[in-house]
Amino acid sequence: MSNGDTRRKAGALAALLVLSVAYRWPALINAATVNSDTAIVGLQAMHILKGHWAWFLYGSGYQTSVDSFVAASVFAFLGATPIALMLSTFGGHLVATGLAYSTLSRHLPAWTAALTTLPLVFTPSPLHTYILGPPRQAAITLVFLAVWAIDRASSSRSPGAWAAAGGALASLACFADPYGLLFLPPLLGLSTLAAWDTPSERWRQAGKSFAGALAGIVPFVVLASSPKAVHGEVTFTGATIAHNYRLLVDECLPWVLSSTAYVPGDTDYVPWRAGEFRLVQVAGVTVLVAGLGFGLVAFLAKRGPWAVRRLGAFGFVFLPVTIGAFLFSVMVMDLFSSRYLSAIILMSPFALAPVAERLGTARFGAAMAPYVLASAVAGWLGFGAEVAGARPVHLPGSGGADEERLGRLLKERGIENAIADYWVAYRLTFLYQEAVEVVPIHVAEDRYAPYRDAFERARRVAYVFDAQRSREDRGAMLDDLGGTKSYGTPTETLAVGNLTAVVLERQR
């Protein structure tokens, strides 16, 4: 590779990473808005640094603590802060973006490969769930590393070793999170196709890839066989499939493909009125789907370089596979189940490789412009109040100032335990670094039993209501506190911004 090629590749990669950071700046400057699902990873990471760890993520029988270990490694350098927790995930996405670009740039010109990678830079809102908050990103990053290793085998002097490494990484992704199971069969298919580059060694290379996968799947199998494991379910019942199909067609697939955008409302996400921009959205989704389809057509028609065609077929497979998994899953509940379709976009750069190779940089860039614009707008609108037009907004109190002030008031009153809605409880516990431990109102939503035990033993506790996040009716809850004394006798009410805390005394 010439110095000029090296500089072009480095420049294109740097541009992708800078754009990715800039695009997510609204979330980065408002990192303290961390939710409880993400905060529980941070809390487990804090415990890991103290020498306490568990195989599973707290409160889960299927998600492992891998993302917590990644967060702990970041905390060791930056401290256990909301921004460090977000960076532990976003950093993984940046690595995945770099791996995708590195894979594509082996077979495409530098800037063509960069354009093909743009779907990972300007992502719709459902992907923000994984990119900006754990858990799950560790598994996704391992998937991209597996693709990179499998593709690397073709140009390596040790193709068998790289093939084995790719297979092992594909299986280890399943250990990091069961979501990796969706990627495992296509990755093994890609490794088989890659083995065809070395005719004399193809069966041996393919065998090494499968051997690596068998070795890598052992930790997942062991963990899934443990008594604490909880297994996911699929169903073939007509009612569930019909329910999932309606969600898929009406809301989830359009949001993931950016043919529709949603914005946060007062209580839920609502469709954005696109107006004339609707033409861009329609053009964008048409170009994207056509590009994904061309990945399969080029493979079957034997058009273009073999290395590009196999990537195209690999990327295309995720369109039917992901939709099929969505239709049969019992986990599909509502609009936010759109995140289960994320693999379509995550693997789209590989599916688009054949059309990018055929059109060239300028024409491919022009063709993809409507989709990239539609996706960028859909993702940007999903930040809600964190953006005002094209400008990121630092939300009042988003730095955790109100929470910090309330925490001081609680500590001054000797309160180290509290109760709140689930979406408030672990978020506050993380922001308070466990100086005040807050448990969910409903015991069934507990993620870490020692917090509940401490709450039950405490003589003085508090009930915390967050006007932005609490799902319960505040008035009804306060009436219950004052009437039934189920949590103790109210003695004082503290109000800080959107937060209200009722101090409760218990008789012991």
Side-chain angles (χ1 to χ4, degrees):
M1 184 184 299
S2 68
N3 290 335
D5 289 338
T6 301
R7 285 195 296 270
R8 279 190 291 273
K9 286 188 176 184
L13 176 59
L16 287 171
L17 299 182
V18 169
L19 284 172
S20 193
V21 172
Y23 182 64
R24 293 170 182 85
W25 199 249
L28 293 170
I29 63 175
N30 292 289
T33 57
V34 56
N35 64 48
S36 283
D37 277 353
T38 297
I40 200 69
V41 176
L43 290 167
Q44 188 169 29
M46 290 167 54
H47 296 172
I48 288 171
L49 291 177
K50 297 175 183 177
H52 308 292
W53 63 278
W55 284 109
F56 288 106
L57 175 66
Y58 288 158
S60 173
Y62 64 97
Q63 290 177 301
T64 69
S65 55
V66 171
D67 284 274
S68 299
F69 273 92
V70 174
S73 67
V74 178
F75 287 179
F77 293 96
L78 302 180
T81 64
I83 185 62
L85 182 59
M86 183 175 286
L87 288 176
S88 73
T89 297
F90 181 43
H93 177 72
L94 292 178
V95 171
T97 302
L99 290 167
Y101 173 75
S102 178
T103 301
L104 292 166
S105 64
R106 291 187 186 123
H107 314 295
L108 300 173
W111 289 102
T112 307
L115 290 174
T116 312
T117 311
L118 281 180
L120 299 181
V121 175
F122 300 108
T123 50
S125 295
L127 272 72
H128 292 174
T129 303
Y130 303 147
I131 296 170
L132 295 169
R136 194 149 284 171
Q137 181 60 49
I140 293 172
T141 303
L142 285 171
V143 166
F144 279 92
L145 189 56
V147 174
W148 180 86
I150 291 168
D151 185 76
R152 176 74 176 83
S154 302
S155 58
S156 169
R157 295 180 179 179
S158 305
W162 284 105
L169 288 165
S171 292
L172 287 172
C174 304
F175 173 75
D177 191 285
Y179 189 55
L181 290 169
L182 180 72
F183 299 87
L184 183 57
L187 283 168
L188 292 176
L190 178 64
S191 67
T192 302
L193 293 176
W196 254 239
D197 288 350
T198 52
S200 63
E201 295 288 328
R202 61 178 52 160
W203 294 114
R204 183 176 297 179
Q205 182 175 327
K208 288 182 177 179
S209 180
F210 278 80
L214 286 174
I217 204 69
V218 170
F220 172 77
V221 172
V222 171
L223 196 62
S225 302
S226 71
K228 294 183 178 180
V230 175
H231 301 284
E233 298 178 14
V234 295
T235 179
F236 296 97
T237 60
T240 299
I241 295 172
H243 167 266
N244 293 359
Y245 178 78
R246 286 192 297 271
L247 272 175
L248 175 75
V249 174
D250 295 341
E251 299 177 357
C252 295
L253 190 59
W255 198 13
V256 166
L257 298 181
S258 300
S259 61
T260 301
Y262 285 83
V263 295
D266 292 335
T267 58
D268 205 350
Y269 276 64
V270 296
W272 176 58
R273 295 182 179 179
E276 294 180 355
F277 191 75
R278 179 65 180 160
L279 296 175
V280 177
Q281 292 176 318
V282 172
V285 71
T286 301
V287 168
L288 177 65
V289 173
L292 297 179
F294 189 82
L296 179 63
V297 171
F299 177 79
L300 296 176
K302 300 181 180 180
R303 302 175 65 177
W306 167 243
V308 174
R309 287 192 286 122
R310 71 179 181 230
L311 285 175
F314 166 74
F316 168 81
V317 162
F318 286 92
L319 183 63
V321 165
T322 304
I323 290 175
F326 185 93
L327 289 174
F328 294 111
S329 173
V330 296
M331 300 296 290
V332 173
M333 300 295 177
D334 50 28
L335 173 66
F336 299 104
S337 298
S338 301
R339 66 187 184 275
Y340 299 138
L341 298 167
S342 295
I344 297 173
I345 302 302
L346 290 171
M347 298 293 109
S348 65
F350 305 118
L352 294 170
V355 70
E357 187 273 334
R358 187 164 185 83
L359 292 179
T361 304
R363 287 190 295 172
F364 177 71
M368 285 296 294
Y371 169 73
V372 172
L373 181 58
S375 182
V377 169
W380 193 258
L381 290 170
F383 287 125
E386 294 176 348
V387 298
R391 181 173 58 87
V393 174
H394 188 267
L395 298 177
S398 64
D402 289 345
E403 290 85 352
E404 182 180 350
R405 183 181 169 198
L406 179 63
R408 286 199 303 269
L409 293 175
L410 293 174
K411 289 294 291 180
E412 288 171 359
R413 288 157 177 78
I415 296 171
E416 297 180 353
N417 305 92
I419 194 166
D421 178 77
Y422 171 83
W423 295 107
V424 181
Y426 296 115
R427 158 186 161 74
L428 289 181
T429 305
F430 178 63
L431 292 178
Y432 292 152
Q433 302 285 284
E434 299 185 301
V436 179
E437 298 173 354
V438 190
V439 297
I441 293 171
H442 305 291
V443 177
E445 295 179 325
D446 276 4
R447 302 292 296 268
Y448 186 61
Y451 292 156
R452 176 69 60 177
D453 295 339
F455 174 80
E456 297 296 343
R457 292 193 304 267
R459 177 178 172 275
R460 177 177 291 180
V461 298
Y463 158 68
V464 181
F465 178 83
D466 186 330
Q468 289 184 318
R469 298 174 176 84
S470 296
R471 295 166 295 181
E472 71 274 15
D473 180 86
R474 178 174 176 269
M477 190 69 180
L478 292 176
D479 288 343
D480 178 61
L481 291 172
T484 66
K485 309 293 190 298
S486 55
Y487 298 110
T489 302
T491 61
E492 185 181 6
T493 299
L494 309 171
V496 180
N498 289 313
L499 300 169
T500 302
V502 179
V503 178
L504 304 163
E505 292 281 354
R506 288 168 165 170
Q507 297 296 324
R508 287 287 188 257

